[in-house]
Amino acid sequence: MAQFRLQNVEDFYELGEILGSGHFGEVRELRERSCGTCWAGKFVKLRRSVSSRLGMERKSVEQEVEILQSLQHINIMALRDVFESRAEIVLVVELIRGGELFDFIASKENLTENEAIDFLKQILRGIGFMHSKQIAHFDLKPENIMLSDKNAEHPEIKIIDFGLAHRFIAGEEYKSLCGTPQYIAPEVINYEPLSVSTDMWSIGVITYILLSGISPFQGETDQETLRNIVDMKYDFDEHYFSQTSNIAKDFIEKLLVKDQSERMTADECLLHPWIKPLTRKQAANRSRSSINMKNFRKFNARRKWKMSYNMVWACNRLSRLQLHCKRDKEDQELRSCESDQEDTETKPASLIRRRLSSSS
Ligand code: ATP
């Protein structure tokens, strides 16, 4: 089990600006008091009671920490330290200053397939490393792919958010309904046993979006999106893919495969001729092709808008819940009743709903 320090994080680190927020708390810049080095602190609120909807179970945070501890790779966010108090756990992690990869790409005038591949290779190396340790991420999406420093000549990819990650144990089946609709594989929706190749489906979706600026299975509603995924309903509409090489489409087709065992692995992806051209002709085709920037920027703007909409929605919901809790507490005090009135819903169901409604 991971060792959590029972000291106060603020005795060692000065709190800085808020860098982001997620379902279970916020991420803030931290400055190490002894040497001035900057880090990021992921503050995760702990669930106070079994029936509570707010906060995260200690066991899940332990799992995230244990997984991060075993993943030391240049393209995966590094964990430095963990602090624990009664109400929250703070993960001190590598500070990633470059923002999201998709925002960086959207800010560029244009991007060739060659340049996109440089990023994809790094993502695949990070994932390949994770998979070699039998760990799957299970929440690969643009929000979780960041850049260490966007001003560097070759910005480094950093994969973040291991909140849904899982380490497979030989002989044990693992099923889960968690994920984000646009990016989840059919086996998740069908509640079938998952494997590390479930991540490779998400890589197929991310690559498709990166090249065209449209999402392959996106429907009008989450339900429609999930139906499209299960029915494998996608195509390469010429209107969006006119600048895309055929070899890039072949790469995507070998990832968006229903049968998990038939999907390319991360290592196989790195050897695919789109990533590693075998002939001069393949290399030339690749460097002539570019990504559909106009549409990509539109996709990214819509994605950002939805993220802030979801955040406002989540904040409102949180305040309503807190208000509800406060009232309950007052009622409880009045009635001197011991039961927790905050939420009686079972945990897995509420988590699934939270994830599924998050960013489609
Ligand atoms: P989610 O609700 O998406 O599952 P979460 O609660 O698990 O989120 P993270 O995704 O780990 O939290 O972090 C939330 C946000 O904080 C990220 O989208 C990112 O903008 C920012 N962030 C996370 N880690 C770092 C880091 N190491 N350096 C800089 N910013 C970070």
Side-chain angles (χ1 to χ4, degrees), residues 199-347:
D199 280 343
M200 299 316 296
W201 175 280
S202 312
I203 293 296
V205 175
I206 293 169
T207 311
Y208 184 108
I209 298 172
L210 185 60
L211 297 179
S212 64
I214 52 166
S215 188
F217 302 103
Q218 183 72 69
E220 292 292 323
T221 60
D222 280 353
Q223 271 70 17
E224 201 182 314
T225 304
L226 301 180
R227 170 62 43 214
N228 291 341
I229 296 169
V230 172
D231 293 346
M232 298 284 298
K233 218 164 128 192
Y234 83 96
D235 57 16
F236 295 106
D237 187 334
E238 199 42 32
H239 179 68
Y240 301 103
F241 281 91
S242 60
Q243 306 160 37
T244 309
S245 65
N246 284 333
I247 196 92
K249 293 182 200 162
D250 181 77
F251 178 85
I252 294 170
E253 276 169 342
K254 290 193 162 99
L255 289 169
L256 300 182
V257 176
K258 201 160 195 173
D259 182 348
Q260 297 179 58
S261 64
E262 294 292 314
R263 243 171 251 160
M264 272 196 297
T265 64
D267 291 342
E268 284 166 354
C269 284
L270 285 163
L271 295 175
H272 184 277
W274 183 52
I275 302 282
K276 194 174 187 222
L278 299 173
T279 61
R280 277 207 201 125
K281 196 170 161 226
Q282 283 171 345
N285 271 348
R286 200 178 86 163
S287 48
R288 266 199 305 273
S289 307
S290 59
I291 74 167
N292 187 335
M293 277 312 280
K294 197 167 148 234
N295 217 48
F296 181 83
R297 271 194 287 269
K298 263 198 229 161
F299 171 88
N300 203 48
R302 259 196 322 268
R303 181 179 74 89
K304 300 304 278 188
W305 183 87
K306 275 182 186 154
M307 276 167 69
S308 38
Y309 172 83
N310 284 332
M311 198 43 75
V312 172
W313 181 88
C315 287
N316 287 340
R317 184 158 169 72
L318 194 68
S319 0
R320 275 204 302 275
L321 271 170
Q322 276 167 344
L323 197 71
H324 183 67
C325 292
K326 204 170 154 233
R327 281 204 201 117
D328 277 345
K329 216 168 156 213
E330 285 163 5
D331 285 354
Q332 272 178 0
E333 277 161 11
L334 275 175
R335 283 183 270 121
S336 308
C337 172
E338 282 186 343
S339 68
D340 183 356
Q341 302 281 309
E342 189 186 323
D343 181 22
T344 51
E345 203 169 5
T346 55
K347 280 164 286 149

Side-chain angles (χ1 to χ4, degrees), residues 74-266:
I74 184 93
N75 300 121
I76 298 175
M77 178 188 75
L79 175 75
R80 175 180 163 81
D81 220 340
V82 189
F83 289 84
E84 176 178 12
S85 68
R86 209 170 61 83
E88 65 183 1
I89 293 182
V90 186
L91 276 62
V92 180
V93 294
E94 166 184 14
L95 175 63
I96 305 169
R97 293 184 188 275
E100 292 171 17
L101 169 68
F102 268 34
D103 290 341
F104 173 74
I105 293 178
S107 71
K108 290 183 81 97
E109 205 44 44
N110 50 47
L111 196 84
T112 64
E113 279 188 14
N114 273 347
E115 291 168 300
I117 285 167
D118 275 344
F119 290 123
L120 203 51
K121 268 193 208 161
Q122 297 187 53
I123 300 172
L124 290 168
R125 284 192 207 114
I127 291 169
F129 178 76
M130 216 186 291
H131 291 180
S132 74
K133 305 224 169 242
Q134 297 309 317
I135 294 170
H137 186 282
F138 288 142
D139 202 16
L140 289 171
K141 56 182 176 182
E143 293 85 301
N144 291 336
I145 302 172
M146 298 187 72
L147 287 178
S148 58
D149 174 8
K150 61 182 174 197
N151 299 318
E153 196 182 340
H154 295 290
E156 245 161 36
I157 289 285
K158 298 282 176 186
I159 302 171
I160 68 159
D161 193 1
F162 286 75
L164 294 184
H166 176 80
R167 186 196 294 274
F168 286 94
I169 296 165
E172 266 182 29
E173 257 186 16
Y174 179 72
K175 292 180 181 180
S176 163
L177 277 171
C178 293
T180 305
Q182 281 188 68
Y183 306 95
I184 51 175
E187 61 267 21
V188 179
I189 305 166
N190 291 332
Y191 200 54
E192 290 161 0
L194 309 182
S195 68
V196 292
S197 62
T198 301
D199 280 343
M200 299 316 296
W201 175 280
S202 312
I203 293 296
V205 175
I206 293 169
T207 311
Y208 184 108
I209 298 172
L210 185 60
L211 297 179
S212 64
I214 52 166
S215 188
F217 302 103
Q218 183 72 69
E220 292 292 323
T221 60
D222 280 353
Q223 271 70 17
E224 201 182 314
T225 304
L226 301 180
R227 170 62 43 214
N228 291 341
I229 296 169
V230 172
D231 293 346
M232 298 284 298
K233 218 164 128 192
Y234 83 96
D235 57 16
F236 295 106
D237 187 334
E238 199 42 32
H239 179 68
Y240 301 103
F241 281 91
S242 60
Q243 306 160 37
T244 309
S245 65
N246 284 333
I247 196 92
K249 293 182 200 162
D250 181 77
F251 178 85
I252 294 170
E253 276 169 342
K254 290 193 162 99
L255 289 169
L256 300 182
V257 176
K258 201 160 195 173
D259 182 348
Q260 297 179 58
S261 64
E262 294 292 314
R263 243 171 251 160
M264 272 196 297
T265 64

